[in-house]
Amino acid sequence: MTLPASTRRLSLLLAGALSVLLAAIPCAAAAATTRLAASVLGDVWGGHQAGGHGALLLAADLDGRHADGCIALDTETLRLGISGLHLSGGVSVGLDVVGELGFAGLLPDYYRDGTLDRGRGFAASYALAAPRLDFAARGQHFGSVVVGVRRWAFATLPATDAALELPPDTTVVELTGRYTLWRLRGGSDWVERQRRFPRVEGVALGAELGVHLRTDAAAWGARDPDVFAPPDLGNSPDGVIVRPRIWLRAGTRLPSGWRWQLSHVAGWGVGEDDLTGDRIGGLNPYSVPIAGAPWAGWVSSRFGAAEWSWLHPVGAAHELGVALQGALVDDLDRTGRSDADAVFGAAALADLRFGPWQVDARVGFSPPAGARSVGVGALVGVGVGGAVAR
């Protein structure tokens, strides 16, 4: 794949911004503790059509005396951030700079009814700078206001159909407000990045409202009915996109030793497209989980999903259990029509911990959905982490 000039310029701009932030993080953080983590996982699926993806995470989190910083390479995504620069009271400022090259949003993969259509896939890259104000109040209430600027760039792949209309390269101003109630007990799972599936005890919930302003909001995608059967008319974004989301995490340990946990997420976007929709499918922590389905087998901005897990301790540190998953997804067939339908999955889980080492194993299936037959899937992940004090 030869990157177009716009993508090369985007890469240069991102490299410059990252260089500045990379130099600033150690100075601002004056790190008292550095937490290092590495993790690798593979998510595979089959039944209707076999496929798979992997992910590699290398991360360093700097807990500083004056601020906190992070440096993370997550497969093809590079993220640098600084947070906790206090202004007054519970108000602080932060900045994230993120870049993803070629594989943003898994847009090279286009799935419909469990079948990969490479002719509808394309390369997608972006650079994002997102300063924010963070608010902390008594009672474990938190909020943030983010003003992000994202530059998208797109390119065809060798398998991309010549009739596919690429999204226009565009700049997006992303205004986001977030509220979080955090009453989870413990907390090490949320700072040890090798723990890809944190154990939940207590409750946390959140809501966010995003307003995205695009400089170019032209319709795109597999729109020609003479070439694509059926065409996908769902990618007709508005210049002003409204993106609300809500989420919930809850869990508790019972006297019998069993621990249950629930996760829920829902969205009802207005004017969204596949650039902003949520990824649904697979067993990995990057998308809404549905066992037996492809990683990002569906993309939707109007959906509700939940996972209910039951796990039992084995020895001093391990857990084994099962999970039931379900999602109600609008435009399940990816045609642009509002035809919500449900998808389900079930999985067996193993969460194995050997000191700083983490091993995750998951295997599951999903019943038929639409034209997709029964699906099976499996995930294996290994990670390790530790802290270094100065």
Side-chain angles (χ1 to χ4, degrees), residues 104-107 273-281 286-289 295-300 334:
L106 285 179
L107 287 166
D273 59 3
D274 285 358
L275 301 188
T276 59
D278 285 57
R279 274 55 189 166
I280 302 170
Y286 298 92
S287 63
V288 177
W295 186 334
W298 299 279
V299 180
S300 181
R334 303 188 77 172

PDB file of all heavy atoms in Angstrom, residues 104-107 273-281 286-289 295-300 334:
ATOM      1  N   ALA A 104      -7.210   1.917  11.595  1.00  0.00           N
ATOM      2  CA  ALA A 104      -8.121   2.562  12.544  1.00  0.00           C
ATOM      3  C   ALA A 104      -9.533   1.989  12.410  1.00  0.00           C
ATOM      4  O   ALA A 104     -10.062   1.842  11.308  1.00  0.00           O
ATOM      5  CB  ALA A 104      -8.150   4.068  12.313  1.00  0.00           C
ATOM      6  N   GLY A 105     -10.120   1.683  13.555  1.00  0.00           N
ATOM      7  CA  GLY A 105     -11.495   1.198  13.561  1.00  0.00           C
ATOM      8  C   GLY A 105     -11.702  -0.121  12.861  1.00  0.00           C
ATOM      9  O   GLY A 105     -12.839  -0.494  12.570  1.00  0.00           O
ATOM     10  N   LEU A 106     -10.618  -0.873  12.596  1.00  0.00           N
ATOM     11  CA  LEU A 106     -10.702  -2.111  11.812  1.00  0.00           C
ATOM     12  C   LEU A 106     -11.423  -1.891  10.487  1.00  0.00           C
ATOM     13  O   LEU A 106     -12.079  -2.794   9.959  1.00  0.00           O
ATOM     14  CB  LEU A 106     -11.399  -3.217  12.615  1.00  0.00           C
ATOM     15  CG  LEU A 106     -10.578  -3.867  13.732  1.00  0.00           C
ATOM     16  CD1 LEU A 106     -11.399  -4.930  14.445  1.00  0.00           C
ATOM     17  CD2 LEU A 106      -9.294  -4.465  13.222  1.00  0.00           C
ATOM     18  N   LEU A 107     -11.290  -0.691   9.927  1.00  0.00           N
ATOM     19  CA  LEU A 107     -11.972  -0.384   8.677  1.00  0.00           C
ATOM     20  C   LEU A 107     -11.446  -1.165   7.469  1.00  0.00           C
ATOM     21  O   LEU A 107     -12.174  -1.297   6.475  1.00  0.00           O
ATOM     22  CB  LEU A 107     -11.916   1.125   8.422  1.00  0.00           C
ATOM     23  CG  LEU A 107     -12.835   1.936   9.340  1.00  0.00           C
ATOM     24  CD1 LEU A 107     -12.495   3.414   9.291  1.00  0.00           C
ATOM     25  CD2 LEU A 107     -14.299   1.706   8.997  1.00  0.00           C
ATOM     26  N   ASP A 273     -21.618   7.495  11.441  1.00  0.00           N
ATOM     27  CA  ASP A 273     -21.292   6.540  10.388  1.00  0.00           C
ATOM     28  C   ASP A 273     -20.309   5.532  10.959  1.00  0.00           C
ATOM     29  O   ASP A 273     -20.120   5.461  12.185  1.00  0.00           O
ATOM     30  CB  ASP A 273     -20.737   7.245   9.147  1.00  0.00           C
ATOM     31  CG  ASP A 273     -19.467   8.045   9.446  1.00  0.00           C
ATOM     32  OD1 ASP A 273     -18.983   8.014  10.596  1.00  0.00           O
ATOM     33  OD2 ASP A 273     -18.961   8.727   8.535  1.00  0.00           O
ATOM     34  N   ASP A 274     -19.669   4.750  10.108  1.00  0.00           N
ATOM     35  CA  ASP A 274     -18.762   3.712  10.597  1.00  0.00           C
ATOM     36  C   ASP A 274     -17.475   4.268  11.185  1.00  0.00           C
ATOM     37  O   ASP A 274     -16.703   3.517  11.791  1.00  0.00           O
ATOM     38  CB  ASP A 274     -18.424   2.739   9.463  1.00  0.00           C
ATOM     39  CG  ASP A 274     -19.566   1.791   9.148  1.00  0.00           C
ATOM     40  OD1 ASP A 274     -20.597   1.866   9.836  1.00  0.00           O
ATOM     41  OD2 ASP A 274     -19.435   0.978   8.206  1.00  0.00           O
ATOM     42  N   LEU A 275     -17.195   5.541  11.026  1.00  0.00           N
ATOM     43  CA  LEU A 275     -16.018   6.125  11.663  1.00  0.00           C
ATOM     44  C   LEU A 275     -16.223   6.293  13.159  1.00  0.00           C
ATOM     45  O   LEU A 275     -15.261   6.225  13.936  1.00  0.00           O
ATOM     46  CB  LEU A 275     -15.675   7.482  11.043  1.00  0.00           C
ATOM     47  CG  LEU A 275     -15.383   7.527   9.542  1.00  0.00           C
ATOM     48  CD1 LEU A 275     -14.876   8.910   9.149  1.00  0.00           C
ATOM     49  CD2 LEU A 275     -14.407   6.447   9.127  1.00  0.00           C
ATOM     50  N   THR A 276     -17.450   6.518  13.589  1.00  0.00           N
ATOM     51  CA  THR A 276     -17.725   6.783  14.999  1.00  0.00           C
ATOM     52  C   THR A 276     -18.522   5.688  15.676  1.00  0.00           C
ATOM     53  O   THR A 276     -18.627   5.682  16.903  1.00  0.00           O
ATOM     54  CB  THR A 276     -18.489   8.110  15.156  1.00  0.00           C
ATOM     55  OG1 THR A 276     -19.717   8.028  14.427  1.00  0.00           O
ATOM     56  CG2 THR A 276     -17.674   9.280  14.636  1.00  0.00           C
ATOM     57  N   GLY A 277     -19.111   4.760  14.916  1.00  0.00           N
ATOM     58  CA  GLY A 277     -19.895   3.693  15.517  1.00  0.00           C
ATOM     59  C   GLY A 277     -19.052   2.771  16.375  1.00  0.00           C
ATOM     60  O   GLY A 277     -17.837   2.648  16.210  1.00  0.00           O
ATOM     61  N   ASP A 278     -19.708   2.087  17.298  1.00  0.00           N
ATOM     62  CA  ASP A 278     -19.023   1.148  18.184  1.00  0.00           C
ATOM     63  C   ASP A 278     -18.830  -0.196  17.484  1.00  0.00           C
ATOM     64  O   ASP A 278     -19.663  -0.639  16.700  1.00  0.00           O
ATOM     65  CB  ASP A 278     -19.830   0.951  19.465  1.00  0.00           C
ATOM     66  CG  ASP A 278     -19.721   2.147  20.392  1.00  0.00           C
ATOM     67  OD1 ASP A 278     -20.058   3.256  19.958  1.00  0.00           O
ATOM     68  OD2 ASP A 278     -19.311   1.980  21.551  1.00  0.00           O
ATOM     69  N   ARG A 279     -17.721  -0.857  17.805  1.00  0.00           N
ATOM     70  CA  ARG A 279     -17.406  -2.167  17.250  1.00  0.00           C
ATOM     71  C   ARG A 279     -17.990  -3.241  18.159  1.00  0.00           C
ATOM     72  O   ARG A 279     -17.795  -3.213  19.380  1.00  0.00           O
ATOM     73  CB  ARG A 279     -15.897  -2.355  17.119  1.00  0.00           C
ATOM     74  CG  ARG A 279     -15.299  -1.827  15.823  1.00  0.00           C
ATOM     75  CD  ARG A 279     -15.607  -0.383  15.541  1.00  0.00           C
ATOM     76  NE  ARG A 279     -15.179   0.004  14.189  1.00  0.00           N
ATOM     77  CZ  ARG A 279     -15.553   1.120  13.588  1.00  0.00           C
ATOM     78  NH1 ARG A 279     -16.342   1.985  14.196  1.00  0.00           N
ATOM     79  NH2 ARG A 279     -15.149   1.372  12.366  1.00  0.00           N
ATOM     80  N   ILE A 280     -18.686  -4.210  17.554  1.00  0.00           N
ATOM     81  CA  ILE A 280     -19.388  -5.254  18.295  1.00  0.00           C
ATOM     82  C   ILE A 280     -18.963  -6.604  17.738  1.00  0.00           C
ATOM     83  O   ILE A 280     -18.986  -6.814  16.522  1.00  0.00           O
ATOM     84  CB  ILE A 280     -20.912  -5.079  18.181  1.00  0.00           C
ATOM     85  CG1 ILE A 280     -21.337  -3.703  18.712  1.00  0.00           C
ATOM     86  CG2 ILE A 280     -21.652  -6.191  18.910  1.00  0.00           C
ATOM     87  CD1 ILE A 280     -22.773  -3.338  18.426  1.00  0.00           C
ATOM     88  N   GLY A 281     -18.568  -7.523  18.635  1.00  0.00           N
ATOM     89  CA  GLY A 281     -18.208  -8.860  18.216  1.00  0.00           C
ATOM     90  C   GLY A 281     -16.809  -9.246  18.627  1.00  0.00           C
ATOM     91  O   GLY A 281     -15.907  -8.414  18.711  1.00  0.00           O
ATOM     92  N   TYR A 286     -11.394  -4.859  23.242  1.00  0.00           N
ATOM     93  CA  TYR A 286     -11.478  -3.646  22.435  1.00  0.00           C
ATOM     94  C   TYR A 286     -12.868  -3.402  21.858  1.00  0.00           C
ATOM     95  O   TYR A 286     -13.152  -2.295  21.400  1.00  0.00           O
ATOM     96  CB  TYR A 286     -10.471  -3.708  21.283  1.00  0.00           C
ATOM     97  CG  TYR A 286      -9.030  -3.786  21.715  1.00  0.00           C
ATOM     98  CD1 TYR A 286      -8.405  -5.017  21.882  1.00  0.00           C
ATOM     99  CD2 TYR A 286      -8.296  -2.633  21.975  1.00  0.00           C
ATOM    100  CE1 TYR A 286      -7.079  -5.099  22.276  1.00  0.00           C
ATOM    101  CE2 TYR A 286      -6.970  -2.708  22.377  1.00  0.00           C
ATOM    102  CZ  TYR A 286      -6.369  -3.941  22.527  1.00  0.00           C
ATOM    103  OH  TYR A 286      -5.055  -4.020  22.927  1.00  0.00           O
ATOM    104  N   SER A 287     -13.715  -4.418  21.811  1.00  0.00           N
ATOM    105  CA  SER A 287     -15.035  -4.274  21.219  1.00  0.00           C
ATOM    106  C   SER A 287     -16.084  -4.819  22.171  1.00  0.00           C
ATOM    107  O   SER A 287     -15.769  -5.495  23.166  1.00  0.00           O
ATOM    108  CB  SER A 287     -15.101  -4.996  19.862  1.00  0.00           C
ATOM    109  OG  SER A 287     -14.892  -6.385  20.032  1.00  0.00           O
ATOM    110  N   VAL A 288     -17.345  -4.518  21.899  1.00  0.00           N
ATOM    111  CA  VAL A 288     -18.442  -5.071  22.697  1.00  0.00           C
ATOM    112  C   VAL A 288     -18.450  -6.586  22.480  1.00  0.00           C
ATOM    113  O   VAL A 288     -18.556  -7.046  21.341  1.00  0.00           O
ATOM    114  CB  VAL A 288     -19.772  -4.446  22.268  1.00  0.00           C
ATOM    115  CG1 VAL A 288     -20.926  -5.079  23.038  1.00  0.00           C
ATOM    116  CG2 VAL A 288     -19.751  -2.937  22.481  1.00  0.00           C
ATOM    117  N   PRO A 289     -18.324  -7.398  23.535  1.00  0.00           N
ATOM    118  CA  PRO A 289     -18.085  -8.832  23.332  1.00  0.00           C
ATOM    119  C   PRO A 289     -19.334  -9.602  22.906  1.00  0.00           C
ATOM    120  O   PRO A 289     -20.385  -9.500  23.525  1.00  0.00           O
ATOM    121  CB  PRO A 289     -17.589  -9.293  24.702  1.00  0.00           C
ATOM    122  CG  PRO A 289     -18.192  -8.332  25.676  1.00  0.00           C
ATOM    123  CD  PRO A 289     -18.254  -7.019  24.965  1.00  0.00           C
ATOM    124  N   TRP A 295     -14.262 -10.213  15.280  1.00  0.00           N
ATOM    125  CA  TRP A 295     -13.860  -8.971  15.941  1.00  0.00           C
ATOM    126  C   TRP A 295     -14.388  -7.820  15.078  1.00  0.00           C
ATOM    127  O   TRP A 295     -14.047  -7.678  13.927  1.00  0.00           O
ATOM    128  CB  TRP A 295     -12.345  -8.952  16.012  1.00  0.00           C
ATOM    129  CG  TRP A 295     -11.713  -7.841  16.778  1.00  0.00           C
ATOM    130  CD1 TRP A 295     -12.217  -6.592  17.021  1.00  0.00           C
ATOM    131  CD2 TRP A 295     -10.411  -7.869  17.379  1.00  0.00           C
ATOM    132  NE1 TRP A 295     -11.323  -5.843  17.736  1.00  0.00           N
ATOM    133  CE2 TRP A 295     -10.194  -6.599  17.968  1.00  0.00           C
ATOM    134  CE3 TRP A 295      -9.405  -8.821  17.471  1.00  0.00           C
ATOM    135  CZ2 TRP A 295      -9.012  -6.283  18.641  1.00  0.00           C
ATOM    136  CZ3 TRP A 295      -8.233  -8.502  18.142  1.00  0.00           C
ATOM    137  CH2 TRP A 295      -8.044  -7.255  18.714  1.00  0.00           C
ATOM    138  N   ALA A 296     -15.264  -7.005  15.656  1.00  0.00           N
ATOM    139  CA  ALA A 296     -15.930  -5.920  14.920  1.00  0.00           C
ATOM    140  C   ALA A 296     -16.761  -6.468  13.771  1.00  0.00           C
ATOM    141  O   ALA A 296     -16.776  -5.924  12.669  1.00  0.00           O
ATOM    142  CB  ALA A 296     -14.931  -4.883  14.423  1.00  0.00           C
ATOM    143  N   GLY A 297     -17.486  -7.569  14.036  1.00  0.00           N
ATOM    144  CA  GLY A 297     -18.379  -8.121  13.029  1.00  0.00           C
ATOM    145  C   GLY A 297     -19.551  -7.220  12.714  1.00  0.00           C
ATOM    146  O   GLY A 297     -20.170  -7.348  11.655  1.00  0.00           O
ATOM    147  N   TRP A 298     -19.873  -6.330  13.643  1.00  0.00           N
ATOM    148  CA  TRP A 298     -20.908  -5.319  13.418  1.00  0.00           C
ATOM    149  C   TRP A 298     -20.374  -3.962  13.854  1.00  0.00           C
ATOM    150  O   TRP A 298     -19.528  -3.859  14.743  1.00  0.00           O
ATOM    151  CB  TRP A 298     -22.177  -5.639  14.211  1.00  0.00           C
ATOM    152  CG  TRP A 298     -22.794  -6.940  13.846  1.00  0.00           C
ATOM    153  CD1 TRP A 298     -23.607  -7.212  12.779  1.00  0.00           C
ATOM    154  CD2 TRP A 298     -22.656  -8.187  14.557  1.00  0.00           C
ATOM    155  NE1 TRP A 298     -23.976  -8.536  12.781  1.00  0.00           N
ATOM    156  CE2 TRP A 298     -23.407  -9.156  13.857  1.00  0.00           C
ATOM    157  CE3 TRP A 298     -21.967  -8.584  15.708  1.00  0.00           C
ATOM    158  CZ2 TRP A 298     -23.495 -10.483  14.264  1.00  0.00           C
ATOM    159  CZ3 TRP A 298     -22.040  -9.906  16.118  1.00  0.00           C
ATOM    160  CH2 TRP A 298     -22.801 -10.837  15.407  1.00  0.00           C
ATOM    161  N   VAL A 299     -20.880  -2.924  13.226  1.00  0.00           N
ATOM    162  CA  VAL A 299     -20.567  -1.545  13.601  1.00  0.00           C
ATOM    163  C   VAL A 299     -21.890  -0.817  13.733  1.00  0.00           C
ATOM    164  O   VAL A 299     -22.703  -0.819  12.796  1.00  0.00           O
ATOM    165  CB  VAL A 299     -19.676  -0.851  12.557  1.00  0.00           C
ATOM    166  CG1 VAL A 299     -19.386   0.591  12.985  1.00  0.00           C
ATOM    167  CG2 VAL A 299     -18.373  -1.619  12.356  1.00  0.00           C
ATOM    168  N   SER A 300     -22.125  -0.206  14.897  1.00  0.00           N
ATOM    169  CA  SER A 300     -23.415   0.438  15.113  1.00  0.00           C
ATOM    170  C   SER A 300     -23.266   1.614  16.073  1.00  0.00           C
ATOM    171  O   SER A 300     -22.457   1.580  16.999  1.00  0.00           O
ATOM    172  CB  SER A 300     -24.425  -0.561  15.688  1.00  0.00           C
ATOM    173  OG  SER A 300     -25.688   0.043  15.883  1.00  0.00           O
ATOM    174  N   ARG A 334     -26.397  -4.051   7.919  1.00  0.00           N
ATOM    175  CA  ARG A 334     -25.526  -3.029   7.313  1.00  0.00           C
ATOM    176  C   ARG A 334     -26.015  -2.633   5.914  1.00  0.00           C
ATOM    177  O   ARG A 334     -25.274  -2.659   4.943  1.00  0.00           O
ATOM    178  CB  ARG A 334     -24.080  -3.510   7.280  1.00  0.00           C
ATOM    179  CG  ARG A 334     -23.532  -3.887   8.640  1.00  0.00           C
ATOM    180  CD  ARG A 334     -22.057  -4.169   8.626  1.00  0.00           C
ATOM    181  NE  ARG A 334     -21.281  -2.922   8.581  1.00  0.00           N
ATOM    182  CZ  ARG A 334     -19.955  -2.872   8.716  1.00  0.00           C
ATOM    183  NH1 ARG A 334     -19.280  -4.002   8.882  1.00  0.00           N
ATOM    184  NH2 ARG A 334     -19.319  -1.714   8.656  1.00  0.00           N
TER     185      ARG A 334
END
